[in-house]
Amino acid sequence: VTPVSVPVNGIYRGRIVRDYSSKAPGTLSLKRGTIVTAEKHYGDWTLVHTNDGQHGWVSRHFIQPVVQV
């Protein structure tokens, strides 16, 4: 995978860059390296879903956008 610049809006694929521990309802705990699809953005938060069906909010600072090659 190749890193790309962060889209301001829109759907993109990304990789979690470090473990993220959920601290609030509606957020996800994710392990470093998890591939997610980013769907919506609100401030510093991004609504994502994973290939295994998890769905919730993650800080955008933990997501590195990627392009599948």
Side-chain angles (χ1 to χ4, degrees), residues 7-63:
V8 174
N9 289 305
I11 298 172
Y12 64 91
R13 300 279 287 164
R15 178 187 303 116
I16 300 300
V17 294
R18 60 186 184 272
D19 290 353
Y20 181 78
S21 180
S22 174
K23 295 181 176 32
T27 62
L28 291 179
S29 292
L30 296 169
K31 295 287 187 188
R32 180 178 180 235
T34 302
I35 299 296
V36 297
T37 300
E39 301 173 353
K40 292 182 184 178
H41 313 282
Y42 183 78
D44 284 342
W45 294 92
T46 301
L47 182 63
V48 301
H49 71 265
T50 63
N51 289 339
D52 65 0
Q54 295 184 73
H55 199 236
W57 293 92
V58 175
S59 171
R60 70 176 177 85
H61 302 289
F62 285 76
I63 305 170

